[in-house]
Amino acid sequence: MTRRTRPLLAALALATALLATSCSSSGPDDEDTSSADAPGAQPPAATADPVPGSPTAPDSSSSAPAATAATTPPAPGTATTAPGTPTGTTPGTPGTPTGKPGTTPGTAPGTPPGPGTGTGTGTGTGGTGGTGTPNGTSNGTRWQPTPGLAWQWQLGGGVDQSVDVPVYDIDGFETDASVVAALHAKGRKVICYINAGSWEDFRPDAAAFTKALQGAGNGWKGEKWFDIRKLDQLKPLMAARFDMCKQKGFDAVEPDTIEAYNQNSGFPLTAEDQLRYNRMLASLAHERGLAIGLKNDLDQIPALLADFDFAVNEECAEFDECARLSPFIQAGKAVFHVEYKLGTDRFCAQSKSLGLSSMQKKLELDAWRKPC
């Protein structure tokens, strides 16, 4: 079930009431440090300043983006669907972020990319994160992250490139192509975070989403659930965002808030509506040669396993749900997992036994991390 899919990144004074009601909070071991890893990280490396994201608006019926970088060939076709569709729903607490401080303005979909948005072309095999594990495999068309890969997830502040892990997951809109290229030069694979399930008034393409697409608030200021039944309207808008990720050189996409069907969205959504929408997202990613992760949505893992290349999960240990992610591990697909409230001594043993890539993070998802 969807709980907190991203932290609230507004001022702490404004967020106190929301965090008090959330099922996630900072753990006892996440006090501020000057380094990303706790303990023993290298000092942060210099990072490039974010520049506006520049998505293009493709023909939604095309099997390739309207304008993409030439670094990764598009993958033919789409992934097959797995048999069986769950019908039960699990109630959850909606949650996505407010606008992050320092959000850089950008251009709406349909605007040609400007200077400085070329893709990175790093071809290294990836850092080891101290484990000696390569950063995944390739099926000939796109990256396939394998179980056990160490990762960094940072959605707040300038990207700290000093963390020695083979995989980074960072904000697609707020990250310049030069940062992706710099990470590639270090041998990292880079995942593009975007919100695919709810409208955010602080994104540069916010005006492209009509009022009819916007439902009830999801619990965070300036955000509303999408009517995911309207695939004909949402598909080109999501394609434009995925094009942005492709043009900036990302290797994969992490679409957030993709289980609206079990939330108070303001629309009569069903599990079937969610399956159709999530498979549409997977198709868009694969057409562009991008891997894609299934964010939370545990109930639909059996039906969506074949469509998604990895999983991203928050707080499965807190809610005793981590074993439900095992189908991804058994299929040779990574599960990138974080806990906010629990210390590493509470979940790392289980995570290692299950093959998850786990760490403790602060709610603001800055550079700080405490890996298993």
Side-chain angles (χ1 to χ4, degrees), residues 177-261:
S178 64
V179 175
V180 180
L183 290 169
H184 279 164
K186 297 174 183 287
R188 318 306 189 199
K189 293 292 187 179
V190 194
I191 300 170
C192 182
Y193 171 93
I194 59 118
N195 195 330
S198 44
W199 178 76
E200 301 164 310
D201 65 4
F202 55 89
R203 294 302 189 184
D205 61 352
F209 296 87
T210 65
K211 292 290 186 182
L213 289 173
Q214 303 168 30
N218 63 13
W220 298 94
K221 182 180 178 181
E223 301 188 22
K224 299 177 181 178
W225 292 104
F226 285 145
D227 186 351
I228 59 172
R229 298 170 300 175
K230 298 180 178 178
L231 295 181
D232 58 335
Q233 297 179 49
L234 286 169
K235 183 176 181 179
L237 296 170
M238 291 300 109
R241 289 186 169 188
F242 284 27
D243 282 341
M244 174 188 69
C245 296
K246 174 72 173 179
Q247 291 159 5
K248 290 184 176 183
F250 284 93
D251 302 288
V253 180
E254 180 214 330
D256 202 2
T257 60
I258 56 171
E259 50 178 329
Y261 78 101

Side-chain angles (χ1 to χ4, degrees), residues 15 50 63 83 102 111 115 132 135 159 166 182 190 206 208 210 311 340 347 364 371:
S63 62
T111 304
N135 62 4
V159 177
V190 194
T210 65
Y340 302 118
F347 64 88
E364 54 265 38

Side-chain angles (χ1 to χ4, degrees), residues 5 10 41 65 72-73 81 95 177 191 194 215 225 285 306 339:
T5 54
T72 309
T81 60
I191 300 170
I194 59 118
W225 292 104
E339 292 291 330

